[in-house]
Each structure stands twice: as C-alpha cells, then as structure tokens.
Amino acid sequence: GARCAGAASGAPKPVPDDCRADHVPATKPYPVADVLADLLEISARALRVGGRLAYLLPATNGFRGIDEAPRHPALECVAAAPQPISAKYARWLVVMRKVRPWAAADATAETRALVRMGADAPWAKLREKIGGGGAAAAAPPPPP
C-alpha cells in the first residue's frame, strides 16, 4: 500500500541449496509506476480477450480517474471509482478489460511510458507526498 515502501527482490547470483533455509533475498526499491507497468504487462499477457483486471490505485484528489489511469495497448480502462481516504487522498478502484491479444510489440519502452505517465501524474511519487518529502508535502499557508 501507500504506507509501506515497495521493494522488488532480486539476487545477483543463485543461492546455494545449503544456504536457502536461512537466506533472506536482497531487495531494491520498486517505484509505484514500475509496479503498475509490470501489473499491466503481466495482465495483458495472461488475461484472455474480454478478461478483466481490477486493482486499487492510491492517488491524490486531483486524479481524474479513467482520463489519467495507466494505459496499455491491449487493455482498456472501463471504470474508475474513488474511495476518499482524507481531504487530500483517495484510492481508486480501476477496472480494465483486455481488448485484443498481446503482441511482442507491446513490450516496449513506449508502452512503459504510457503507464508511467510522467512524474507529475497525481499518483506518481505519492509516497513522497504522504511521507513529507518534497514541496508537495509542505503545509499550505494559513488563510489571510
């Protein structure tokens, strides 16, 4: 969720069998935009045409639902509904439908860019906004 750090596991080399019982996999940061890109890519490959993907997307209240939802060429956003969490934040239920078979041409940097939608998207860097990092987390000045 938005309250915990995302981490992807990954070992640079295989772990010997005699060390596996006590082994703790190394982790590395896993940004929300990359999680979404992977989720949509795996869904585009695994779902059959007409199949649906539903997921929760943390966002600021400036998020515009279907208009700003991450995109993939094989998936169409069919619904997006907010659940307000506070005056500033909401989580959105996003539903996507697979509209055509996956093609190898879908696994490109351009497709990942469609999902990432840039650093200024309301859901990008949400953790920094919540956790106090950056100017976005600063309290607004009091009214005059």
Side-chain angles (χ1 to χ4, degrees):
R3 292 178 294 231
C4 57
S9 62
K13 57 185 176 181
V15 178
D17 289 337
D18 60 328
C19 296
R20 287 183 188 229
D22 296 331
H23 179 70
V24 177
T27 59
K28 55 186 176 184
Y30 197 14
V32 172
D34 290 337
V35 171
L36 290 170
D38 291 344
L39 175 67
L40 270 55
E41 180 62 24
I42 291 167
S43 299
R45 289 179 187 228
L47 289 171
R48 58 183 162 182
V49 174
R52 293 179 186 248
L53 164 69
Y55 63 93
L56 292 172
L57 180 65
T60 58
N61 283 336
F63 184 70
R64 294 190 316 253
I66 290 177
D67 295 337
E68 289 186 344
R71 305 212 181 279
H72 188 282
L75 302 170
E76 169 188 48
C77 187
V78 294
Q83 178 187 21
I85 295 173
S86 71
K88 291 183 179 181
Y89 306 108
R91 64 179 165 200
W92 286 72
L93 172 63
V94 179
V95 180
M96 302 186 90
R97 181 171 38 108
K98 186 168 178 179
V99 294
R100 65 168 178 78
W102 179 85
D106 291 343
T108 65
E110 291 80 18
T111 300
R112 287 189 78 81
L114 283 173
V115 177
R116 294 185 66 85
M117 292 175 54
D120 292 331
W123 52 267
K125 298 189 178 187
L126 181 65
R127 181 172 162 70
E128 289 86 354
K129 291 176 184 175
I130 292 173

